[in-house]
Amino acid sequence: MSVKRVVIFKNGTNTNGEVFVLPQTLEELMSQAYLKFNTKVRRIFIEDGTEVNEISFIRNNDNLYISSGEEFIVPPKNVSKRVKCSDWVTLNVGGKYFTTSKSTLTTKEPDSMLARMFAGDEEGYLFTPSNIDKNGAFLIDRSPLYFEPIINYLRNGQLIYDSNINPEGILEEARFFGIESIIPTLEQIISQQNVNRDNLPLTRRDVIDALIRSAYTTELRFQGVNLSGADLSKLDLRYINFKYANLQGCKLTGSNLSYCCLERADLSYANLDGAQLLGVKCLCANLEGVSMKNSNFKDPAGGRANMEGVNLKGANLEGSDMGGVNLRVATLKNANLQNCDLRAAVLAGADLEFCDLSGSDLHEANLRGANLKDAAFELMLTPLHMSQTIR
């Protein structure tokens, strides 16, 4: 639906008219006219003297006359000298001057507010475009920052603006001035920016802001979010739902991830050295190449970390306390589990090929059905009993 614009004069005059974008209701139009002319508006007439009672009766480019209650007064004709047309126009937009040709304002967008403001004939402008400052420039109360890309677009047909300018501000100006041809381009730019912004990974600051606003027992939902590469070291992240989250390459050293849900999350090549992982849920998570040296999985209350089906290929868990952890059917190929406490851990069906378990404690660990091909068991604290590896 196209925007309608009208020119409003005081009753009985044809001078000092003001351009208005036609609002939805007659009451809104009266209110806007009151603010502009600083006079009470009770009645509105069209050029033939007919009083307007419905906003739908007003047509695009109509001249309207406002009254504080008196009857319509026919405006005198040719009582004032028109402002002389010039090939060049200077605009004072929010205190900044723009000098341009009249053809720039009227040719590319002939139906725009700017084109109608400066429409004229040999006698001058059809109406006074706006108030004039002491330097003879036409005053426009808008932001010069967002107006400049608009005037440049009218000059050369290309939308060019600095990277520090918000395109939403330019879009607002384009709608105000009725520069219709530029609006789809701006809407597309803004839409693309929003998509790109949604794809950006969250930062440490974003996570801290969420933590500050929440109690530590509250289950924050970071499900499916992108946190790749974020530095979350030494933060208290207990009880957070990181299911399906992207935590690739995150720095989580010394952080507390106890009772977190990391199901199917991607923590590949992240650093979790010294992290607290009590009761963590890591079902089918990707921890390939992760560093988890000296991490703690053992819950004094008896809870068990569930890492069933997790991918720990090439991971380094040296010196970690993993007592009772569930690593059923997990992939630990080429993983470093030296000096780990794996007492009562469940490793049934796990792939431990080329895994280094030297110096680890596997007392009462369940290794039934595990692939132990070329695994290293040197310097173990307790001998591995054959019954632990029988299917």
Side-chain angles (χ1 to χ4, degrees):
M1 184 176 178
S2 60
V3 177
K4 290 182 180 180
R5 294 177 178 81
V6 294
V7 184
I8 295 182
F9 301 91
K10 286 186 177 181
N11 194 15
T13 70
N14 260 332
T15 59
N16 298 321
E18 295 286 351
V19 178
F20 288 80
V21 175
L22 196 64
Q24 297 293 321
T25 66
L26 200 60
E27 290 74 16
E28 287 181 80
L29 184 60
M30 288 181 175
S31 177
Q32 292 176 16
Y34 166 73
L35 293 173
K36 198 69 176 178
F37 289 96
N38 196 27
T39 183
K40 193 110 177 164
V41 180
R42 296 185 182 278
R43 305 171 75 181
I44 296 179
F45 302 93
I46 59 176
E47 287 180 289
D48 64 1
T50 302
E51 185 173 355
V52 178
N53 294 314
E54 291 287 340
I55 197 78
S56 58
F57 295 157
I58 301 175
R59 297 172 300 179
N60 193 31
N61 295 326
D62 266 353
N63 287 347
L64 304 179
Y65 300 87
I66 56 172
S67 157
S68 57
E70 70 275 10
E71 294 296 328
F72 176 69
I73 302 172
V74 179
K77 295 183 179 180
N78 300 321
V79 295
S80 63
K81 186 178 179 181
R82 288 190 190 174
V83 178
K84 187 178 179 182
C85 287
S86 171
D87 290 335
W88 289 93
V89 175
T90 299
L91 308 174
N92 181 346
V93 182
K96 184 174 181 178
Y97 288 91
F98 297 87
T99 300
T100 186
S101 66
K102 192 177 77 168
S103 62
T104 294
L105 300 174
T106 59
T107 303
K108 186 169 182 62
E109 290 279 351
D111 294 326
S112 70
M113 180 190 295
L114 290 170
R116 291 206 336 275
M117 283 174 66
F118 295 97
D121 53 26
E122 63 279 358
E123 295 183 18
Y125 294 120
L126 298 181
F127 59 90
T128 304
S130 70
N131 291 332
I132 298 173
D133 70 7
K134 62 181 181 180
N135 297 317
F138 294 99
L139 289 161
I140 299 178
D141 187 18
R142 303 297 292 182
S143 168
L145 183 69
Y146 300 125
F147 180 77
E148 187 167 1
I150 296 291
I151 195 68
N152 286 334
Y153 173 75
L154 294 175
R155 286 168 173 153
N156 54 41
Q158 294 184 5
L159 176 61
I160 301 171
Y161 59 94
D162 292 337
S163 58
N164 63 332
I165 295 178
N166 189 340
E168 292 185 13
I170 305 173
L171 177 60
E172 189 62 30
E173 295 304 292
R175 286 172 173 161
F176 178 82
F177 288 110
I179 314 299
E180 300 292 336
S181 60
I182 201 177
I183 290 176
T185 302
L186 285 164
E187 288 177 338
Q188 185 177 1
I189 290 171
I190 293 166
S191 176
Q192 187 60 47
Q193 281 188 349
N194 291 336
V195 170
N196 294 339
R197 193 179 297 119
D198 290 341
N199 291 334
L200 288 175
L202 298 182
T203 64
R204 180 183 179 91
R205 182 74 262 170
D206 296 326
V207 175
I208 289 175
D209 287 344
L211 292 173
I212 290 172
R213 292 193 292 265
S214 308
Y216 81 93
T217 53
T218 303
E219 182 183 328
L220 290 177
R221 293 176 176 84
F222 281 84
Q223 180 168 327
V225 301
N226 184 3
L227 286 157
S228 60
D231 180 1
L232 305 177
S233 57
K234 300 181 180 178
L235 293 181
D236 186 352
L237 304 170
R238 286 175 292 174
Y239 300 101
I240 294 180
N241 180 4
F242 287 111
K243 188 175 182 179
Y244 300 113
N246 179 5
L247 293 152
Q248 288 183 6
C250 272
K251 186 178 180 182
L252 290 153
T253 53
S255 60
N256 191 347
L257 289 157
S258 298
Y259 315 109
C260 282
C261 178
L262 290 161
E263 184 178 341
R264 300 184 186 276
D266 187 353
L267 288 101
S268 54
Y269 303 100
N271 189 338
L272 286 87
D273 292 346
Q276 296 296 313
L277 295 150
L278 283 61
V280 72
K281 297 176 183 178
C282 279
L283 280 76
C284 302
N286 180 17
L287 280 79
E288 182 174 353
V290 74
S291 180
M292 302 176 76
K293 292 183 291 185
N294 301 308
S295 294
N296 180 30
F297 292 82
K298 187 182 286 185
D299 186 353
R304 294 192 172 199
N306 189 349
M307 302 180 72
E308 186 170 336
V310 72
N311 176 16
L312 282 161
K313 188 184 294 184
N316 186 354
L317 293 101
E318 184 176 352
S320 293
D321 192 343
M322 304 176 71
V325 69
N326 180 6
L327 286 162
R328 189 185 302 273
V329 299
T331 300
L332 292 124
K333 191 172 183 179
N334 292 307
N336 179 3
L337 275 75
Q338 293 183 63
N339 305 312
C340 286
D341 182 352
L342 287 157
R343 296 170 68 89
V346 179
L347 290 154
D351 184 358
L352 294 161
E353 186 176 356
F354 297 110
C355 183
D356 189 350
L357 290 151
S358 300
S360 294
D361 187 352
L362 286 159
H363 183 65
E364 295 184 349
N366 182 354
L367 290 155
R368 289 182 175 85
N371 177 14
L372 301 172
K373 182 181 178 182
D374 296 316
F377 294 97
E378 299 174 2
L379 304 173
M380 293 184 63
L381 296 181
T382 54
L384 188 64
H385 197 278
M386 281 296 294
S387 63
Q388 294 177 257
T389 62
I390 298 173
R391 291 179 184 272

